[in-house]
Amino acid sequence: MIRRLTLRARLALLIALAVAVAVAACATLSWFLVKSQLYEELDRRLRVTSNRPPGDGRLRGDLLSAQVEQALNDCTQKPTTTGTRFGPPPGFSFMQVLKADGAPCTIPDNGALTVTQQDIKVARGELKQAVHDGVGITTTDGAESPVRIITVHRAGGAVSYALPVDQVEGPLGRLALMLISVSALGVLVSAGAGLAIARASLKPVDHLTDVVEHIARTEDLDTAIPIDGKDEIARLSRSFNAMTRALASSRDHQQRLIADAGHELRTPLTSMRTNIDLLMRSEATGRALPPETRAKLLVSVKAQMLELSSLVGDLLELARQDETAKPKQVVALHEVVGNAVGRARLRGLGLRIEVSAEPWYVHGDPGSLERAVVNLLDNAVKFSPPAGTVEVYLRKGELTVRDHGPGIPEEELPHVFERFWRSPSARSMPGSGLGLSIVHRVAGESGGEVRLERAPGGGTIAFLALPGASR
C-alpha cells in the first residue's frame, strides 16, 4: 500500500511514524518512571509508619497500643466498627494484627487486609518485613479496594499497615491521559512538519524532474542541471549532466559520421552516375564510344564500386562498436599477421614485404584483429614507392609496420586516427579515411595501443602493441 504513495507522501508518513514511535516510547517510559517514583513514595510512607511503634507516646500511640492489645485478645477476622467512622483519619494507614501463627486479627474501624505467605513468615519471625500489593475492605459498605501493604515483625506476631493505592493510581491515570493527549498532538505536529520537510527536501528532485522532462520533450541534450552543494542530489545532478554530455557527444559523433559518410559516398556515386549516363546515352543515341573510352569508363565504374564496397565495409565495422561486443578469445597474433601479409602481397604486386613474427597470443576477436593488421599493411602498401620494401616485425607483443614512402608530416600525426580524416597529399588516392580509425578501436578493445611515427630516413612506422594472454 505504501508503495502506491508518492515519494513526498511516503517521506512525510515515515517522519510522522518515527516521531510517533519516539513520542510513544518517551511517554511510556515517563509513565513508568512516575509510577515507580509514586510507589517508592508510598512505600516510604509505609516504612515510616511501621518504624513508629504503636506505643511510642506520640499522636495516637497509647490508643493504638490499646487497640492492638484488644485485637490480639478478641482476634476476629471480620472487620468491625465502633459506629462513629470506618477507617483511619486522613493521612494515616489501615492496620491489622497478625498472631505468631499468621492468623489475622482486625482492629475496629481499620477494615480487613489480605494475608500472604510472606506476611505469615514475618509473623513467625522468619522475615523482618514484607511489602506487597493486596486487597482490603476500606469502605463502610464492605467494598474491596486495592492497597499497598507492609508487614513488620513485632513481639508475639506482626502488624500490617496499608495505604490505598488510589492516591497513586489516580495521578497515574490523569498522567496517562495527559501523555496520550500530548503524544497525539505531537504526532499531528510531526506529520505537518514531515510534510513541510518532505516538500523542502524534494524541491531539488522536483527541479531535476522538470529538467529531465524538458530534455525528454525537446531532446535538447545541451540543457544542464544547476548544481548547488555536495549532497546526494548534487551528485545525482552531476551524474545526469555527465550522462547528457555523453549522449550529446554520441549524437554529435553519429551526425558527423552520417555527414562524413554522405560526403564520402557522394564522390564515387557521382562518378559512377556520370560514367553510367555516358554509357547509356551512347547506347540510346546509337553512337558507339571508342573501345578505349568505353574500356576506361568500365574500369572507372569498377573502381568506384570497389571503393564503395570498401567504404561500406569500413562503416559497418565502425558501427559494430555500438552493438554488443563480440566475445573475446585467445588469438595467435603471429598467425593473424601471416594471413594479413598474404592478403597484402596480393594487393602490392611488385613490392617486397619482409616479415619476422615471433609467437604471441592475445585476447580479442580474430576477424577484427586481422582487419586492423590488414589496414596497417594497406597503408604501407599504398604509400610505398614502386618496387619498394615494407618491413613487418612482431616482437614481444609489439607489431611494427614500416614503409619507405613520403611519410606523414608532424602536424598531421595527431589527426591520423580521426574518422574520414585524410592527408591532403592522399586525397587523390583510393581509400575512405576509416582504416586507421578501425585500427585504433580494435587496439582499445584488446587493451592495447597504436601510434604512428615518422621513420628515420623517410617513411612511416606504425606501432601496434597488444598485451599477451596465456594459451
Side-chain angles (χ1 to χ4, degrees), residues 69-356:
E69 292 297 330
Q70 184 178 356
L72 289 173
N73 293 330
D74 298 340
C75 195
T76 177
Q77 297 184 5
K78 294 182 179 181
T80 60
T81 178
T82 59
T84 57
R85 60 177 176 81
F86 191 83
F92 289 85
S93 60
F94 292 95
M95 293 178 59
Q96 180 175 269
V97 182
L98 299 179
K99 289 186 175 182
D101 59 358
C105 301
T106 61
I107 297 175
D109 300 324
N110 276 267
L113 304 174
T114 56
V115 178
T116 65
Q117 285 299 119
Q118 289 182 324
D119 297 329
I120 297 174
K121 289 182 179 180
V122 173
R124 293 174 180 174
E126 297 176 6
L127 295 175
K128 290 184 178 181
Q129 67 176 19
V131 181
H132 59 86
D133 292 329
V135 177
I137 299 176
T138 58
T139 61
T140 56
D141 57 2
E144 295 181 347
S145 299
V147 293
R148 186 73 169 170
I149 302 173
I150 183 170
T151 302
V152 294
H153 181 70
R154 292 287 184 266
V159 180
S160 296
Y161 302 86
L163 287 173
V165 296
D166 56 358
Q167 53 187 296
V168 172
E169 296 297 333
L172 284 177
R174 292 190 295 271
L175 177 62
L177 290 176
M178 183 181 67
L179 290 176
I180 291 174
S181 301
V182 172
S183 300
L185 180 61
V187 170
L188 292 177
V189 172
S190 65
L195 186 59
I197 292 172
R199 287 178 178 175
S201 301
L202 295 178
K203 186 174 292 186
V205 177
D206 293 337
H207 182 60
L208 177 61
T209 303
D210 293 339
V211 175
V212 172
E213 291 176 348
H214 169 76
I215 294 175
R217 185 173 59 255
T218 63
E219 298 185 1
D220 182 12
L221 296 177
D222 295 328
T223 302
I225 301 174
I227 300 175
D228 185 17
K230 297 182 179 180
D231 56 7
E232 290 78 3
I233 301 299
R235 179 182 175 187
L236 178 61
S237 299
R238 282 193 292 270
S239 300
F240 188 82
N241 286 340
M243 182 187 69
T244 54
R245 286 194 298 270
L247 289 175
S249 177
S250 176
R251 184 182 63 182
D252 292 342
H253 288 163
Q254 183 183 37
Q255 292 176 347
R256 188 165 59 249
L257 176 62
I258 294 173
D260 291 341
H263 176 74
E264 293 295 328
L265 289 169
R266 188 179 298 113
T267 300
L269 286 174
T270 301
S271 179
M272 286 180 60
R273 185 175 61 186
T274 302
N275 293 336
I276 293 175
D277 285 345
L278 288 175
L279 291 172
M280 292 180 63
R281 190 179 304 157
S282 172
E283 294 293 332
T285 59
R287 290 189 240 170
L289 293 173
E292 298 82 1
T293 303
R294 182 181 177 85
K296 289 181 179 179
L297 289 176
L298 291 175
V299 170
S300 176
V301 168
K302 182 179 180 180
Q304 297 300 332
M305 289 191 64
L306 292 175
E307 186 175 350
L308 280 175
S309 299
S310 176
L311 178 58
V312 170
D314 290 343
L315 287 173
L316 291 175
E317 181 68 22
L318 283 175
R320 189 178 63 82
Q321 64 181 334
D322 297 328
E323 301 175 358
T324 303
K326 294 182 180 180
K328 294 182 179 181
Q329 55 182 294
V330 178
V331 181
L333 186 59
H334 52 284
E335 295 180 1
V336 171
V337 171
N339 295 335
V341 168
R343 294 171 59 181
R345 283 184 173 137
L346 297 177
R347 303 179 186 182
L349 299 176
L351 294 178
R352 179 184 177 187
I353 300 180
E354 298 179 354
V355 184
S356 175

Side-chain angles (χ1 to χ4, degrees), residues 363-442:
H363 280 293
D365 174 60
S368 298
L369 288 171
E370 184 170 343
R371 181 66 178 271
V373 177
V374 167
N375 287 349
L376 291 178
L377 292 173
D378 278 348
N379 277 352
V381 169
K382 185 190 305 182
F383 293 102
S384 292
T389 301
V390 176
E391 301 166 5
V392 182
Y393 301 101
L394 176 61
R395 298 188 179 95
K396 297 181 180 180
E398 185 176 66
L399 173 68
T400 60
V401 178
R402 175 180 178 174
D403 62 65
H404 294 269
I408 302 176
E410 288 288 344
E411 64 273 11
E412 296 180 4
L413 285 175
H415 305 285
V416 293
F417 297 110
E418 296 178 6
R419 294 179 179 179
F420 295 105
W421 186 88
R422 301 178 70 184
S423 172
S425 59
R427 289 176 184 171
S428 59
M429 304 181 69
S432 63
L434 296 175
L436 291 178
S437 296
I438 295 174
V439 176
H440 186 267
R441 181 181 61 79
V442 173

